[in-house]
Each structure stands twice: as C-alpha cells, then as structure tokens.
Amino acid sequence: MNVFRRGMASVASLKQAGKVVCIGRNYADHITELNSARPKQPFFFLKPTSSILLPGAGPVIRPKGVDLHYEVELALILGKQVKDLAADDEKGAFDAIENYALSIDMTARNIQNEAKKKGLPWSIAKGFDTFLPISNLIAKSAIPNPHSVDIYLTVNDNVRQADSTELMLFQIPRILSDISKVMTLEKGDIILTGTPKGVGPVVPGDVMRAGIKVNGKELEESKIEVAVEESTGAYEYAET
C-alpha cells in the first residue's frame, strides 16, 4: 500500500512541473502529412502544465468549434537541472532523465492552422485544459533504449498511430542540448519528443487508447485510456 501511495504521489507531482516543452516536426512522415517544412534544428514550443490530464482524471474536453487532433509522444521527466548541455553529451542527457511516460499532445488543429498561416503563436491550439493526457511514470530500467521503442494510439480500437522512436529526426541528447541552450531545464520538467505519422481527429464519444511496447511487450504503466467529451464551457472558436 505504501508503494502504491508513493507511486501515485509521483504521478500527481507532474502537475507541479515547471514547464512542458514539446518538440515539433521530429518524424519525417508526420512533417509530410501536415505539409510542414523539415526543420534544420529541433523546433519546440510550450504547453501549460494546466493542460496535464493525469491517469483516471476524466475525459479530454473538446472546446466548441475545435477540430481536435491526437498526437502520441514519448515523454521525458527530468530529474535534475540541465543548462547548456553539449549535443554529444549522451551520458549527461540520459543521466538527467528520471522517468519516462507516454503522452498525447492534443491539438486544436483548425486553430493551429490559422496560427501558422498568420504567423501567430500556438498557445491556444495547444493549451486548453485536458490537452495533455499522460500515463503513469515509467522507470528508466523499463526502457533501456528510448530510441528503440514502439508507440501506438488507437481510436475506438482502430490503430491510428504505430511507429518506432528510432524514426526520430533529432534524438534525445540533441533535443535536450538545444532546449537547454535557450532555457534552463529544471527537475520535474516534462519534454515531449515528437509524434509519428497518423495524427487525426477525434470527436465526443470516441475513446483513445495508447501505449509503449519494448521488444514487442507492452508496458502496463504506459497505457492510456481516455474518452472525449464536448465542452460545456464558455469558449467557442472564432477566427483571430
């Protein structure tokens, strides 16, 4: 029972993360499906910690007028401060990771498309409450090589995303290096490492399930199951 409580406390602590940094356009086929330009260096943006949806904490809420898309991603949970990390410092990068998790970077695609077209920030498109479902914490020992695991997402039991992290354009040391040269990464910060191809819409009534497989075996602690519901809140999309 004490072990269970400690584990739950660790998961709950994700809500107290200082920041969530998300790597965009880190899988070539995903870049192609969204007709985006391939970056010459890691490209990243922030999601608010208020968007985090812990396991069992309820559904993803679709704001009114939003074209809601899923993006499954491997997440890194940092255990120490990282600043000006060298891109070739593989040991320093992996030593900085305390745990892994699986996450779904929910995106208001119509809002993001408008923002991209007009040169506006992505904060609204990425930042709604419940827009970051996250799994239980995964011990580092369960993922010996984070560049060789399979991540998947289904909608109503239909597979929509399923690819290996070996397809990342920029691997974890380079990701942490580039971010840490811009902003100091702190203990507890969460890094989303990018999504593979297959992103698409979900609507109220849909159920998303996601997970990680290591050598073909699914990690129980990586499993996410979350439904989608329509918002009853005040927000309604209108063009900026």
Side-chain angles (χ1 to χ4, degrees):
M1 179 59 72
N2 288 338
V3 171
F4 175 78
R5 283 177 175 165
R6 282 200 298 273
M8 290 298 289
S10 296
V11 174
S13 71
L14 294 176
K15 293 282 281 186
Q16 277 70 56
K19 55 187 172 291
V20 180
V21 187
C22 311
I23 300 296
R25 305 176 188 173
N26 203 26
Y27 288 77
D29 288 343
H30 172 61
I31 294 171
T32 300
E33 71 183 352
L34 292 187
N35 296 312
S36 297
R38 182 167 176 157
K40 297 177 182 177
Q41 58 190 23
F43 159 74
F44 51 92
F45 57 91
L46 301 177
K47 281 179 86 86
T49 55
S50 53
S51 67
I52 293 171
L53 183 66
L54 296 175
V60 168
I61 302 299
R62 183 181 74 169
K64 297 184 187 77
V66 160
D67 178 19
L68 181 61
H69 280 216
Y70 53 80
E71 300 184 3
V72 70
E73 311 199 17
L74 177 68
L76 321 175
I77 317 301
L78 298 189
K80 61 172 67 174
Q81 185 183 90
V82 182
K83 184 175 178 64
D84 287 331
L85 181 75
D88 60 356
D89 187 358
E90 193 166 306
K91 183 179 187 302
F94 289 112
D95 283 351
I97 299 169
E98 186 167 40
N99 295 104
Y100 296 102
L102 190 66
S103 63
I104 308 175
D105 174 17
M106 303 305 299
T107 303
R109 190 70 73 200
N110 54 330
I111 299 176
Q112 184 190 40
N113 287 341
E114 181 193 0
K116 289 163 71 173
K117 182 179 179 181
K118 297 179 178 179
L120 300 172
W122 294 7
S123 301
I124 298 174
K126 296 286 189 176
F128 288 96
D129 291 355
T130 76
F131 266 33
L132 185 53
I134 198 161
S135 74
N136 287 299
L137 296 179
I138 302 167
K140 286 175 73 173
S141 59
I143 299 182
N145 181 5
H147 298 128
S148 184
V149 300
D150 296 307
I151 59 177
Y152 76 86
L153 181 142
T154 68
V155 178
N156 304 328
D157 296 324
N158 296 308
V159 176
R160 299 291 177 83
Q161 293 187 274
D163 262 318
S164 172
T165 55
E166 69 185 6
L167 296 174
M168 287 184 188
L169 298 177
F170 300 107
Q171 294 193 325
I172 289 168
R174 176 68 190 276
I175 288 170
L176 294 183
S177 173
D178 276 43
I179 297 171
S180 72
K181 291 173 182 175
V182 175
M183 59 186 77
T184 300
L185 292 167
E186 303 286 359
K187 177 179 172 64
D189 284 353
I190 302 169
I191 313 297
L192 308 190
T193 56
T195 194
K197 68 179 183 297
V199 303
V202 284
V203 298
D206 285 344
V207 176
M208 296 178 288
R209 296 180 177 89
I212 297 174
K213 295 179 181 179
V214 179
N215 297 323
K217 183 178 179 181
E218 186 160 13
L219 300 180
E220 188 66 31
E221 58 271 38
S222 75
K223 291 182 179 179
I224 297 174
E225 180 173 336
V226 63
V228 180
E229 292 185 6
E230 188 74 15
S231 174
T232 59
Y235 178 89
E236 185 166 0
Y237 170 68
E239 185 175 344
T240 299

